[in-house]
Amino acid sequence: MKIFAIAQNYSAHKQEMGDGDRKPDNPVIFLKADSSLLKNRKPFFLPDDLGRIDYETELVVRICRLGKSVPVRFAHRYYDAVTCGIDFTARDLQARLKSEGLPWDLSKGFDGAAAIGEWVPLDQVGDVQQISFHLDINGHTVQTGHTSDMIFPVDELISYISQYFTLRTGDLLFTGTPAGIGPVHIDDHLDGFIGEKQVLSFNVK
């Protein structure tokens, strides 16, 4: 199983990170280790040696068939469900790695850094580019997003990734975070929603 993730796929998030609002020529792709997957409402154990850990709430897409070099017009055939996920980021470590011109995989791929909720079949959510999602922490909404605001839509992402990687059933795609990221702390409780449906719920320990 591969966990693909997209950086800077919402203009407002690019701006909050100080990266301006120019549309990149191509999606920015990175991968998370399979050991980073956190599911089944298991707790997220806050690493005590990585500094600040930020939540980044995202729509996650599940790949459902084998594919390579998929045209955009056929990309919708290659995923069958969505959920809300958290791309946890070791922000201090990422900043240091960036400043040194180094890859920042370590800040994104550590254990537990890819939290996902329960899957919602596509026929229950309709158009994948018309989905709202949000994250509550301790009962308060801290981040909201809508897939219509993506710079690169899901089908374009699927097509682009498949030029370089063979898609396999069970691969996951984190499609990018909107604005509103922030830190998590021990004893926080996180709830993620697709529309008004709660699909993600876990504690930080």
Side-chain angles (χ1 to χ4, degrees):
M1 182 195 68
K2 299 181 290 300
I3 303 175
F4 301 105
I6 310 301
Q8 301 185 341
N9 201 28
Y10 288 80
S11 294
H13 174 60
K14 281 172 58 63
Q15 293 175 35
E16 78 175 342
M17 296 300 292
D19 294 318
D21 58 2
R22 186 184 70 83
K23 179 180 178 179
D25 294 331
N26 295 300
V28 179
I29 311 294
F30 62 95
L31 284 84
K32 287 173 169 277
D34 59 2
S35 57
S36 70
L37 189 63
L38 181 69
K39 58 182 182 178
N40 300 326
R41 305 195 175 213
K42 293 180 179 178
F44 172 67
F45 289 94
L46 197 66
D48 56 10
D49 58 348
L50 294 182
R52 170 173 162 162
I53 304 296
D54 280 359
Y55 60 81
E56 297 188 12
T57 313
E58 311 195 6
L59 183 84
V60 183
V61 172
R62 183 176 68 188
I63 303 300
C64 65
R65 62 191 299 181
L66 186 72
K68 177 68 175 176
S69 299
V70 178
V72 173
R73 67 183 183 277
F74 296 136
H76 66 279
R77 301 177 180 177
Y78 288 81
Y79 54 97
D80 64 353
V82 299
T83 192
C84 184
I86 308 293
D87 167 21
F88 282 115
T89 303
R91 193 66 67 196
D92 297 336
L93 176 59
Q94 184 188 45
R96 178 173 63 79
L97 293 170
K98 280 182 166 182
S99 70
E100 297 174 359
L102 298 173
W104 31 272
D105 303 62
L106 294 177
S107 68
K108 291 281 195 176
F110 55 91
D111 289 354
I116 61 169
E118 287 82 37
W119 294 106
V120 182
L122 280 181
D123 59 11
Q124 294 182 19
V125 295
D127 185 347
V128 74
Q129 297 304 148
Q130 294 297 326
I131 298 174
S132 62
F133 57 96
H134 69 275
L135 175 70
D136 289 359
I137 296 183
N138 304 326
H140 301 284
T141 300
V142 296
Q143 191 175 23
T144 62
H146 198 280
T147 56
S148 63
D149 295 326
M150 287 182 182
I151 297 172
F152 296 99
V154 172
D155 288 359
E156 290 184 20
L157 296 174
I158 295 289
S159 178
Y160 183 77
I161 290 169
S162 72
Q163 295 177 40
Y164 300 93
F165 301 92
T166 297
L167 303 176
R168 298 187 185 279
T169 300
D171 287 349
L172 307 181
L173 171 59
F174 281 68
T175 57
T177 192
I181 62 172
V184 293
H185 307 91
I186 290 175
D187 294 329
D188 279 347
H189 180 79
L190 278 64
D191 292 303
F193 296 80
I194 297 291
E196 297 305 314
K197 180 180 177 64
Q198 184 202 65
V199 294
L200 178 70
S201 184
F202 63 96
N203 296 314
V204 179
K205 294 188 174 182

